Amino acid sequence: MIDAWNAVGLDYAVLGNHEFDIKTPELLQRMKESKFQWLGANVIDTKTNKIFADTPPFVVEEIGGIKLGIIGLLLPETKQTSSMEDSLTVTDYCATAKKLVKQMRKKMKVNAVIGLTHLFMEQDKKLAGCADFDLILGGHEHTLLQSASNGTPIFKMTADARELGKFNLNFNAATKRLESMDWDIIPVTDKIADAPEFAWVFDKYKDLLQKLAEPVGRTGVVLDALSLSSRTKETNVGNFVADAYRNAANADVALVNGGSIRADLTYNVGTLTKRDVLSILPFNNPIVKIEISGKTLREVLEHGVARSGTNEDGEPGRFPQISGMSFKFDTTKPAGSRTSEISVGGKPLDEAKNYTLATSDFLVSRGGDGYTMLKNGKVLITADAAQKDSEVFEAAIKSAPDATIAPKLEGRIIRLK
């Protein structure tokens, strides 16, 4: 990715939560290889009380006599949604922006301030009221979003570079005041010719790309691996992956946090490749097996739908894709009391009974996506002994009759309201 971004000619990038899924030494090495500037003003190393990797709190870019202040900010949920090391912390983005934007305006005399963010849209809207921004360009959600708050335009492009956002800031030459703004959202499709200066990147990774193109099986139905679907409702991909986890670990039930399904695509009937497998499950998480009570299992499902349908996070990565169980939920009820008619193995949930659960070690050992209740489960298959998520997924495809899968919706998850 760094080679690709270097070739593209990127100038600035903001740290996102999944940058911290790799170990700090490797992340620092990737940042060192970057020919562009990383930003993340509210990511703090508690060992030094400095900004992570000694990145600048902000940068001032002067273009034609106009001074642009640029600041990067990361969402506070990073500790729950990544494998961020304990020594790192994410401070309040609002307080950070208030202090630094004021500094840019007063001391650096910038003519405009641009926020590069990895926040939820509701947080971006709040940010626009915390400090004097002229434009906020965000990430985190995987869909095209356009909004405004406190007079500040806010834009997010679709994930995986499917669009290019082009923004023209128009300044008065005499007063250097920002007078207007124009923008265009450009679809990135195969109609755009390959850039010759990018050829060396393809050549460098030719062997890897060929390996990723190897077929592992087929799908006989359209597979829904869209992020919005995985984070809001039962999907056929979610069912298949959860079934694969449960079968691989020989567990009563299985749970896949919807945010771990990353492809954000639908797959048409036809061949599935290693690239498809890794696009859907890229994190290489071990699938562990634990024993928990029925009461805890209810807490797990309640947590999974606690943010569903909210303005703050309408696409929660914690949303559960499941196997071996079913339930209904109602988003109009208070968080913690939304689920009903929970069944396991076709029988009503028994809160006094123990059940075995197959799920990602990220959820168990780190309480990832806020699943802290799983930390108290009795571990039956440890991370060291467990198969990786993509390995389990690929093996399940290959073991299907004629290596052809056809998962379907079964009413495992029903949203009432």
Side-chain angles (χ1 to χ4, degrees), residues 66-126:
I66 301 296
K67 297 170 96 175
L68 294 179
I70 303 171
I71 182 174
L73 298 162
L74 178 59
L75 78 163
E77 289 86 350
T78 295
K79 295 287 278 190
Q80 289 77 47
T81 58
S82 75
S83 299
M84 177 178 267
E85 293 188 11
D86 293 338
S87 61
L88 302 179
T89 190
V90 182
T91 59
D92 182 77
Y93 60 90
C94 189
T96 302
K98 190 175 297 185
K99 173 185 174 182
L100 295 178
V101 171
K102 183 178 180 179
Q103 187 177 337
M104 282 189 277
R105 295 281 188 187
K106 299 291 185 182
K107 294 184 178 181
M108 308 303 294
K109 304 296 183 182
V110 299
N111 303 109
V113 176
I114 299 172
L116 302 182
T117 69
H118 202 96
L119 301 167
F120 290 112
M121 176 58 87
E122 285 300 309
Q123 295 168 331
D124 279 313
K125 289 180 178 179
K126 179 182 176 183

Side-chain angles (χ1 to χ4, degrees), residues 231-232 297-316 318-320 326-342 349 351 412-417:
R231 296 165 182 247
T232 57
L297 184 55
R298 181 184 294 276
E299 292 175 10
V300 166
L301 296 178
E302 285 287 354
H303 176 75
V305 298
R307 283 191 169 183
S308 296
T310 64
N311 289 329
E312 180 183 0
D313 181 7
E315 303 174 23
R318 67 175 71 178
F319 187 85
S326 63
F327 71 97
K328 298 178 180 180
F329 72 104
D330 184 345
T331 61
T332 65
K333 293 185 176 181
S337 58
R338 291 182 163 186
T339 63
S340 61
E341 298 183 46
I342 302 173
L349 176 72
E351 292 197 1
R412 299 180 187 185
I413 305 170
I414 298 176
R415 176 172 171 170
L416 300 174
K417 294 179 184 177

Side-chain angles (χ1 to χ4, degrees), residues 114-117 124 127-128 133-138 152-155:
I114 299 172
L116 302 182
T117 69
D124 279 313
L127 176 66
F133 284 94
D134 294 287
L135 174 65
I136 294 175
L137 302 176
T152 303
I154 306 169
F155 293 89

